[in-house]
Amino acid sequence: MTALPADPVRDADLIGESRTDPEAFAVLFDRYSSMLYRYVSRRLGPEVAEDLVGETFLIAFARRDRYDAAYHDARPWLFGIVTKLVSRHRRTEAARYRALLRSPADDVVDSPDDRVAAGVTARSTRPALARALAALPARDRDVLLLFAWGDLSYEEVARALDIPVGTVRSRLNRARKKVRAALGDTNPMHEEE
């Protein structure tokens, strides 16, 4: 009879352990670097993503003594750090959306989830979506993209951006309405009946 694998160590415990054994922090990198890379790559492009993800973990490692161990999941903390780094690259992000408007849709995807999303999303909505994202205020765009591309909950987005959950809800609602209007009041993820 084989033993069941032990429960994975919680992020907060790893961060605490890394204070005396810095190598423990590498587990967080292994858990979340690809997730952060996909998020940044979608926002700024792959040419910047690797550097920002690396910088995110350097900052997180330097600030690990200040991590609130009451939060077992470090994803919102890491997404908060990377979102602040993305905000420093707003010009790059805006240029990326303008480039998306000019470029044909490509079929390059990073994971099975991305392949499914790429297959479902209509190619014709890409320019309108890029325009809509570029037109959103940065604070609304951050909330929308952390929720949609970062796959964070309302509470996790609130933690990542250090804002109240109610603010997350109102910004997300506002961003969704603007994007939906820019797409002709349709949702490309749902087939028309």
Side-chain angles (χ1 to χ4, degrees), residues 11 24 77 84 86 89 118 132 143 151 159 162 172 182-184 193:
D11 297 344
W77 179 57
K84 286 178 183 147
V86 165
H89 288 80
V143 168
D151 200 27
R159 238 180 79 212
D162 196 26
L172 185 58
L183 296 176
E193 298 180 34

Side-chain angles (χ1 to χ4, degrees), residues 88-107:
R88 293 183 189 161
H89 288 80
R90 291 276 187 227
R91 287 187 189 129
T92 304
E93 183 177 33
R96 178 160 172 76
Y97 292 133
R98 286 191 302 274
L100 282 172
L101 289 170
R102 294 187 304 269
S103 68
D106 58 358
D107 293 328

Side-chain angles (χ1 to χ4, degrees), residues 13-88:
D13 296 336
L14 287 168
I15 293 168
E17 184 181 335
S18 75
R19 291 179 182 132
T20 57
D21 178 14
E23 292 296 318
F25 204 82
V27 175
L28 291 176
F29 182 86
D30 293 341
R31 282 183 185 172
Y32 301 120
S33 62
S34 63
M35 184 184 303
L36 292 170
Y37 177 85
R38 280 190 305 275
Y39 174 73
V40 176
S41 184
R42 286 176 167 173
R43 291 196 68 175
L44 300 176
E47 56 281 347
V48 179
E50 193 170 318
D51 291 339
L52 289 188
V53 169
E55 191 174 344
T56 298
F57 282 96
L58 286 172
I59 290 168
F61 185 78
R63 295 180 183 168
R64 70 190 188 280
D65 289 337
R66 293 180 278 180
Y67 184 78
D68 184 350
Y71 297 109
H72 301 295
D73 182 3
R75 277 181 331 129
W77 179 57
L78 294 169
F79 271 101
I81 294 169
V82 81
T83 298
K84 286 178 183 147
L85 293 173
V86 165
S87 73
R88 293 183 189 161

